[in-house]
Amino acid sequence: MSWILNEVDKGELQFVKADKGGALCVVDRSFMKELESVKLNDTSQFICLGEDDPIPGVFDKLLDLWKSGEMEGHIDRNICYNVMGICDSGRPSTLSAFKPGIPFYYGLLKIHKLDVSDLKPGREIPLRLVNDLSQSPTARSDKYLNWKYLKPLQDEFCVDLVKDSTETLKWLEGVASSLDSGLSGFSWDFSSLYDNLTPDFVLEALTFAISELRFDWSASFIDWLLKLVDLSLKSCFGRHGNNWYLNKSGIATGGSLSVSLANIAVCYALRCAVYDSENVPDDLVAIKRFVDDVTGLWKGSEEDFAIWSNNVNSNLNRLGLSIKDNTLEPWDFHKPGDYTTFLDIKYTFIESGELLTDINIKSTDARVYLHYSSHHPRQTFPSIIYSQALRYQRIINDSIRLFRRLDELKECFLKSGYPHKLVVNILDDVVRRPRNLDYKQKDNSRPNEILWIQTYGPGTTPIRRLVKDANVMLQKCSVWKNDKKVIGVVSRRPNNLGDMILKRKRFALNDKLPGTKRCRPLLDSSRAKRKGRPCSTCPMMSETEKIRSSATGITFNLPGANCKTRNIIYCAECYLCNKQYIGKSSNKLQTRIVGHRSHVGYIDEDDIINESDEKTLAEHLLEAHNFESVDHFNSNYSFTVLEVSPKNLDQSEQRWANKLLTLRPFGLNKEKPGGVACSTSSMCRRALDLRIQLL
């Protein structure tokens, strides 16, 4: 395992998730880089924007749109602040939660497109390129628009949509209840749906859906909403390596609006090509859809179906969409008695009209489950068996076929090390339960108790025991005597193997060696010639691949960065005494260093007494080393980026301060990052224990 992590850290080895199914593929990084580069350098699909960061310009446009929306009364003041961080003064908040991160492209291997015999080392595998827009400049705006407006609109407009296989089964059984003869089934999927949906067509479909269902929306509000969606669609850029890329055609697949907009656009296309067509055949019983996967029922002949399907193909082609890669290839049409595949279901209506369903297992599905020897909580393993068996029972409506499939499932679990008795007992319990297709009602009310959030690990049981004892004492108080629980424990999962080895972001943003480098590399170290204008902060970059805590001696791996990297957690280290300081910045590291440097020579006694970290580095030079010139600052500090674009700057700053033990007296931090850092006494004990272990 240490060798694997080391190879991943060096960038020699990369673990990539499969496009479907979640399998992990082990690939050579150079091979994966070549696949991603071929995709991104395809000028018919992507535009290379160069190294200039396009985020600030888009973010400014977005803020202007939200300000205009507030002025016109489309949104209130609280929403404007909570979503976009626009303060009463009209200026954006400086909190890190409102700062955009770095969207990036990463690849998923489409191993489901290959036969089992093709799954072997050296085989070239198709690649799906995904744009992670979770930290894009429009991410917060998109989430709000989708939750408030687009998702409800999609649910009303897309009457042909099913949300999962359970809803599909309920639809099929509803059809079967009124049948006395067999039906043929058909299915298709759209070819490269997201790549073929142009922003203009998506906006046309969205405008149509709004005009049909949202009579209470004013013209000015609709115009404001469409401008926000248009900005989101046309700013779906991402970074890969040192360059930024923009989708030339289609819409991005990784945004909050992607699924809702795709569903509305596909439903609109089908209404134009199928539902609202003048020649809708009587033989077409129904069509259902899950995004780009479509299935339907047909009661006529196969020849009539072929004529109708060709017409549908032609209509969709005029809208820029196509079914499969080859429009001449026939659709998946199955006569009564032959199974039609949709999602994870196989179904057929036999000649008598009876519905038969089976589970759909792809040939590339390895059917490997979490091994029983894994160090997961013990309750995890029975729940995996139970959930899989319940899925089989829900999908398969014939008892004989169910028993056969459960026997196959049992063998899969036994191969994964599960005890025979455990597997058999759970499968028998599931078989005795009645088949149920109803959804379980969820209680969405918030719990009244105070939540203690902990990471699952060795301390879980003692914490739960302490909380239980505390609840007993608190319930004796008149304030909480009627409450079932005063304090509740919530466990979040720790980092698993996938978190440690996937490293999507690192490989996407950083194809160079880890470490904080110069933004202007030296052309010739002997002559010290630089490319472009000299940078005053470049000589202060540490340029090391690992960082060592001066308090504990523990080393940590570093991401690739330079002095122009934004949204960072950084470490400043004094060359004279090796003490370290942890800071955060939503701006470039270069800009933050200039801020630290500006305080040199302007320190008085009040600043030294003050508990703020704003002038800490300048204070340390004066107080500890009696230096107060800018030259001394430049020559005695080195800077290292510890983390790039974390989800929460404040929490990450606190975590790194605890890892490196930088709170005084061990480091230079005077205040507790995030407000919840370890106390000085606990940090002393940790440092002493670690020093003893190292000695």
Side-chain angles (χ1 to χ4, degrees):
M1 187 63 203
S2 298
W3 176 83
I4 290 176
L5 293 175
N6 188 46
E7 291 298 302
V8 171
D9 287 338
K10 290 193 301 184
E12 300 293 334
L13 203 63
Q14 185 175 358
F15 285 77
V16 182
K17 267 198 173 182
D19 184 27
K20 295 182 180 178
L24 282 179
C25 306
V26 186
V27 297
D28 183 83
R29 173 55 194 158
S30 59
F31 166 75
M32 194 66 187
K33 180 182 176 182
E34 183 179 352
L35 287 180
E36 292 168 343
S37 298
V38 168
K39 278 274 188 181
L40 288 168
N41 292 325
D42 184 355
T43 54
S44 64
Q45 296 187 33
F46 294 96
I47 302 172
C48 181
L49 303 177
E51 297 186 15
D52 293 336
D53 188 352
I55 288 178
V58 171
F59 195 59
D60 289 343
K61 291 180 183 178
L62 184 66
L63 292 177
D64 290 341
L65 280 174
W66 274 82
K67 290 175 188 176
S68 67
E70 183 188 1
M71 291 177 59
E72 295 171 8
H74 305 321
I75 45 174
D76 61 34
R77 170 97 287 278
N78 289 333
I79 292 175
C80 203
Y81 175 77
N82 291 331
V83 176
M84 294 304 301
I86 300 175
C87 303
D88 294 337
S89 62
R91 297 176 62 84
S93 170
T94 57
L95 291 176
S96 61
F98 298 112
K99 300 291 184 181
I102 302 177
F104 60 93
Y105 286 98
Y106 65 92
L108 299 177
L109 294 176
K110 301 165 80 169
I111 60 174
H112 63 281
K113 297 289 186 182
L114 304 177
D115 294 329
V116 176
S117 58
D118 292 328
L119 293 175
K120 53 189 177 183
R123 177 68 163 84
E124 187 172 338
I125 303 174
L127 182 80
R128 175 197 288 274
L129 206 58
V130 179
N131 191 357
D132 187 325
L133 297 169
S134 59
Q135 297 186 60
S136 71
T138 63
R140 293 182 66 89
S141 173
D142 291 347
K143 288 175 184 176
Y144 177 76
L145 295 181
N146 190 55
W147 167 77
K148 183 71 175 177
Y149 306 114
L150 298 187
K151 182 64 165 59
L153 180 64
Q154 168 213 275
D155 294 340
E156 291 182 49
F157 182 69
C158 303
V159 293
D160 59 348
L161 205 60
V162 291
K163 61 182 180 182
D164 53 27
S165 56
T166 300
E167 190 171 335
T168 305
L169 290 167
K170 293 174 75 172
W171 165 66
L172 290 171
E173 295 200 345
V175 173
S177 63
S178 59
L179 282 181
D180 54 7
S181 61
L183 285 177
S184 300
F186 63 88
S187 62
W188 84 72
D189 59 346
F190 286 91
S191 174
S192 304
L193 175 64
Y194 288 94
D195 291 337
N196 291 327
L197 285 174
T198 63
D200 291 339
F201 181 75
V202 169
L203 290 173
E204 178 186 335
L206 181 58
T207 304
F208 179 84
I210 291 172
S211 65
E212 188 174 86
L213 297 172
R214 295 294 183 263
F215 305 107
D216 55 330
W217 288 2
S218 67
S220 61
F221 173 77
I222 294 172
D223 181 62
W224 175 75
L225 179 64
L226 291 176
K227 284 180 179 178
L228 284 173
V229 174
D230 184 47
L231 179 64
S232 177
L233 291 175
K234 293 180 178 178
S235 60
C236 292
F237 42 71
R239 208 179 102 188
H240 191 272
N242 294 323
N243 290 322
W244 292 83
Y245 296 88
L246 177 67
N247 287 61
K248 192 172 184 179
S249 60
I251 62 175
T253 57
S256 300
L257 302 180
S258 300
V259 175
S260 296
L261 292 176
N263 275 324
I264 292 172
V266 171
C267 185
Y268 175 67
L270 291 177
R271 287 182 66 164
C272 296
V274 182
Y275 308 143
D276 295 342
S277 175
E278 298 178 356
N279 300 317
V280 177
D282 296 333
D283 292 332
L284 180 63
V285 177
I287 288 180
K288 290 293 178 181
R289 177 176 61 86
F290 183 82
V291 193
D292 60 343
D293 291 329
V294 183
T295 191
L297 301 174
W298 184 267
K299 61 183 178 182
S301 66
E302 186 172 0
E303 291 76 14
D304 292 339
F305 176 81
I307 296 172
W308 174 75
S309 63
N310 287 332
N311 290 333
V312 172
N313 269 338
S314 300
N315 293 336
L316 289 174
N317 287 339
R318 285 195 289 270
L319 299 174
L321 302 177
S322 62
I323 297 171
K324 295 190 174 179
D325 295 328
N326 183 1
T327 55
L328 299 177
E329 184 181 352
W331 296 7
D332 293 329
F333 182 84
H334 303 275
K335 295 180 179 179
D338 295 333
Y339 281 99
T340 302
T341 300
F342 180 66
L343 301 180
D344 58 348
I345 302 170
K346 293 197 297 185
Y347 71 89
T348 184
F349 291 92
I350 60 177
E351 293 296 343
S352 63
E354 181 186 358
L355 171 67
L356 299 179
T357 57
D358 197 357
I359 192 162
N360 176 37
I361 300 173
K362 293 188 176 181
S363 59
T364 53
D365 188 351
R367 304 186 73 180
V368 176
Y369 300 98
L370 180 70
H371 202 275
Y372 197 73
S373 62
S374 173
H375 295 281
H376 282 73
R378 288 294 95 184
Q379 66 268 22
T380 302
F381 303 101
S383 63
I384 292 175
I385 303 172
Y386 180 78
S387 62
Q388 287 297 314
L390 203 63
R391 172 172 165 254
Y392 278 52
Q393 188 221 34
R394 186 180 68 249
I395 291 176
I396 302 169
N397 67 349
D398 178 72
S399 58
I400 297 176
R401 194 180 307 106
L402 175 63
F403 283 124
R404 188 164 64 247
R405 296 288 183 252
L406 288 179
D407 282 340
E408 296 171 0
L409 182 65
K410 180 182 72 174
E411 293 302 319
C412 294
F413 280 116
L414 294 179
K415 289 179 181 178
S416 296
Y418 287 71
H420 184 274
K421 185 177 180 180
L422 175 66
V423 176
V424 170
N425 288 343
I426 295 176
L427 295 183
D428 289 344
D429 176 59
V430 170
V431 169
R432 287 193 296 268
R433 294 174 180 268
R435 184 169 179 256
N436 182 18
L437 296 180
D438 293 329
Y439 292 100
K440 185 178 180 180
Q441 295 297 322
K442 293 183 179 179
D443 183 12
N444 294 322
S445 60
R446 295 177 66 108
N448 293 324
E449 67 263 19
I450 301 166
L451 296 179
W452 181 327
I453 302 174
Q454 55 136 11
T455 301
Y456 185 87
T460 299
T461 302
I463 287 174
R464 291 185 182 276
R465 194 181 301 119
L466 285 171
V467 168
K468 184 178 180 181
D469 295 340
N471 278 327
V472 172
M473 291 188 290
L474 291 171
Q475 284 166 345
K476 294 178 181 178
C477 177
S478 59
V479 177
W480 294 299
K481 64 180 180 180
N482 296 324
D483 291 333
K484 188 176 179 180
K485 281 194 301 184
V486 181
I487 304 174
V489 179
V490 177
S491 295
R492 60 189 170 205
R493 72 165 180 82
N495 284 345
N496 58 25
L497 186 61
D499 297 325
M500 290 188 283
I501 63 179
L502 274 177
K503 309 288 186 184
R504 283 176 179 165
K505 194 170 189 178
R506 178 196 152 184
F507 282 119
L509 299 184
N510 181 26
D511 267 327
K512 51 183 181 288
L513 290 173
T516 308
K517 311 295 183 183
R518 299 168 177 263
C519 68
R520 300 287 183 185
L522 296 174
L523 271 178
D524 184 348
S525 57
S526 63
R527 292 180 293 173
K529 289 185 177 179
R530 294 186 177 92
K531 296 179 181 179
R533 184 178 178 181
C535 171
S536 62
T537 55
C538 274
M540 303 177 73
M541 301 299 102
S542 63
E543 301 197 80
T544 58
E545 296 183 9
K546 295 180 182 289
I547 188 169
R548 182 178 181 273
S549 169
S550 59
T552 66
I554 298 175
T555 59
F556 299 91
N557 295 323
L558 298 173
N562 59 39
C563 53
K564 290 189 176 179
T565 306
R566 297 183 304 105
N567 287 328
I568 53 167
I569 307 299
Y570 65 91
C571 174
E573 183 170 347
C574 176
Y575 284 129
L576 301 171
C577 60
N578 294 328
K579 286 193 174 182
Q580 295 168 325
Y581 166 86
I582 298 298
K584 65 177 185 292
S585 178
S586 59
N587 294 315
K588 298 174 183 177
L589 175 60
Q590 188 181 63
T591 306
R592 188 68 191 98
I593 293 174
V594 171
H596 284 302
R597 189 190 287 134
S598 66
H599 298 301
V600 176
Y602 298 95
I603 302 298
D604 53 33
E605 291 183 3
D606 293 336
D607 292 324
I608 296 175
I609 298 172
N610 190 0
E611 289 298 315
S612 172
D613 270 341
E614 180 63 27
K615 301 181 180 181
T616 294
L617 297 185
E619 292 169 21
H620 174 71
L621 277 181
L622 177 63
E623 187 180 12
H625 306 297
N626 199 29
F627 292 148
E628 51 181 337
S629 72
V630 171
D631 289 339
H632 285 123
F633 180 91
N634 292 340
S635 60
N636 290 312
Y637 279 119
S638 70
F639 287 83
T640 304
V641 174
L642 303 174
E643 191 172 353
V644 177
S645 198
K647 288 186 177 179
N648 189 300
L649 280 171
D650 296 322
Q651 292 178 5
S652 295
E653 182 190 26
Q654 174 221 332
R655 186 174 67 252
W656 278 104
N658 290 341
K659 281 182 177 181
L660 299 179
L661 288 180
T662 60
L663 196 62
R664 290 190 178 183
F666 302 106
L668 301 180
N669 287 88
K670 291 196 292 186
E671 63 180 358
K672 302 173 184 178
V676 289
C678 297
S679 66
T680 303
S681 60
S682 65
M683 292 179 76
C684 289
R685 287 196 299 272
R686 285 177 60 200
L688 290 173
D689 290 343
L690 286 166
R691 283 190 179 277
I692 291 169
Q693 292 174 16
L694 290 170
L695 292 173

